[in-house]
Amino acid sequence: MTTHTTFATTTRGLRRDLPAMRLFEKAKRYGVWNPSEIDFRQDRADWLRLNALEQEVLLHLTSLFQAGEEAVTGDILPLMLAVSREGRIEEEMYLTTFLFEEAKHTDFFRRFLDEVAGVREDLSRFTTPSYQAIVYEALPAAMHRLLDDPAPAAQVRAAVTYNMIVEGVLAETGYHAYLTALERNGLMPGQCQGIRLLKQDESRHIAYGIFLISRLIAADDALWEVAEATMNELLAPALGVVGDLFTAYPVMPFGLDESAFTDYAIDQFQKRLARIERARGATLEDVQRDALEG
Ligand code: MN
Ligand code: FE2
């Protein structure tokens, strides 16, 4: 598009009843927490009292979160462009908060690495083949394909990879387990506060992904197969990320338990899949009403 022929806001107005505008309102209220204001003083004192294995495991997990947040910050742009080119101003407005929040999450973890862990070294040694398959390969491939092919099938593949697998399974599982471990051991109050805020942001991101996938499936039922195939294709590497972590540490500190991680991940996966399947045979109005009800 090289010229504008019309503007939504000077013709039909903004559709404030759309799910994306409801999410935009929530994001303006809850998504504005500032990572720079998190108090890490107790976290630093806690860090210095951890043993070498405990520090290594926290560093390992944090490095995966850090790289993942940078990946989702960088890789959301092609989806924003695809949505914008379709003239969906309400969805684009919401997505500006999405990108802002991912940038804040990237900022947040780097503060932890700098100020709590005090690390300067390269952390890529914590990357494993399963993590690489999703975060280094599947995610950017699905997202950047939209630049050349913004068709609905490519959008479904992108949103399933990004919102359902990377956010809905990997991040949800990782943050849940990490937060539980820290809280159970009374550690790192600043990090816990940040993760709780970040999880709220992520729940809006996942809600948008569910809405987008559902909107696309409701318009064309053949897209359900694309969604299901993408989910199934990425389940093994997603569970592999958990498996690789536990393989690396025969004795895991903080009471971290592999089956608790794996069960949570599988449960998230099944919930997401069942949720988007509800769009089959639904109308656009059904999908919008469903999204507003959460
Ligand atoms: Mn994030
Ligand atoms: Fe996110």
Side-chain angles (χ1 to χ4, degrees):
M1 179 174 60
T2 50
T3 57
H4 287 291
T5 52
T6 183
F7 290 98
T9 48
T10 50
T11 53
R12 62 173 172 80
L14 280 179
R15 293 271 316 269
R16 295 193 187 272
D17 58 325
L18 291 178
M21 284 303 280
R22 299 290 183 88
L23 288 170
F24 185 55
E25 282 304 319
K26 281 191 185 171
K28 285 187 291 178
R29 184 173 314 162
Y30 303 113
V32 291
W33 60 280
N34 184 353
S36 305
E37 287 170 2
I38 302 269
D39 183 349
F40 278 131
R41 281 172 298 183
Q42 182 60 45
D43 299 60
R44 175 65 180 162
D46 289 346
W47 176 268
L48 293 172
R49 276 194 290 272
L50 297 178
N51 67 37
L53 175 67
E54 290 168 333
Q55 289 187 346
E56 183 77 354
V57 168
L58 275 196
L59 206 53
H60 188 145
L61 280 165
T62 311
S63 75
L64 302 186
F65 298 151
Q66 175 75 83
E69 295 292 358
E70 182 179 336
V72 294
T73 303
D75 293 338
I76 193 68
L77 285 161
L79 179 66
M80 292 179 73
L81 186 62
V83 164
S84 172
R85 281 178 168 161
E86 290 181 5
R88 299 180 188 277
I89 186 66
E90 291 87 353
E91 291 186 35
E92 184 184 357
M93 286 168 73
Y94 168 64
L95 286 168
T96 64
T97 71
F98 193 128
L99 176 58
F100 174 61
E101 288 162 9
E102 298 300 12
K104 286 197 301 145
H105 303 167
T106 303
D107 172 17
F108 170 72
F109 284 112
R110 194 61 235 186
R111 268 202 73 206
F112 180 88
L113 291 172
D114 289 334
E115 296 171 40
V116 178
V119 289
R120 292 288 174 275
E121 78 254 30
D122 188 332
L123 301 171
S124 358
R125 64 190 159 96
F126 291 120
T127 298
T128 64
S130 301
Y131 186 86
Q132 204 139 1
I134 296 180
V135 176
Y136 286 56
E137 288 155 29
L139 177 71
M143 301 308 291
H144 289 262
R145 173 179 162 189
L146 295 174
L147 295 173
D148 301 316
D149 171 18
Q155 290 188 28
V156 167
R157 188 171 170 80
V160 167
T161 305
Y162 191 117
N163 305 108
M164 300 297 96
I165 296 293
V166 173
E167 294 188 316
V169 177
L170 276 191
E172 284 283 289
T173 301
Y175 295 143
H176 167 78
Y178 187 82
L179 187 59
T180 309
L182 294 180
E183 282 175 337
R184 189 194 294 135
N185 294 283
L187 291 167
M188 313 264 172
Q191 184 74 342
C192 289
Q193 186 199 356
I195 301 275
R196 280 191 290 267
L197 291 163
L198 185 154
K199 276 164 62 71
Q200 273 190 14
D201 297 344
E202 292 302 336
S203 70
R204 290 189 297 278
H205 302 175
I206 294 166
Y208 175 74
I210 287 171
F211 166 73
L212 172 61
I213 295 162
S214 301
R215 166 164 77 59
L216 292 162
I217 290 174
D220 177 4
D221 194 61
L223 296 175
W224 162 248
E225 277 167 39
V226 177
E228 193 183 28
T230 309
M231 290 289 286
N232 289 332
E233 189 186 311
L234 295 174
L235 176 61
L239 294 176
V241 173
V242 177
D244 291 346
L245 178 75
F246 282 85
T247 304
Y249 304 97
V251 182
M252 195 56 116
F254 307 116
L256 287 170
D257 173 45
E258 179 166 8
S259 62
F261 262 91
T262 306
D263 292 351
Y264 192 86
I266 291 172
D267 189 52
Q268 293 299 309
F269 179 89
Q270 285 168 344
K271 267 168 48 186
R272 308 299 175 208
L273 192 63
R275 185 66 181 76
I276 56 179
E277 190 171 14
R278 272 162 53 185
R280 298 195 73 187
T283 63
L284 177 61
E285 290 69 30
D286 294 334
V287 166
Q288 287 174 347
R289 191 178 347 97
D290 238 29
L292 293 170
E293 285 163 4

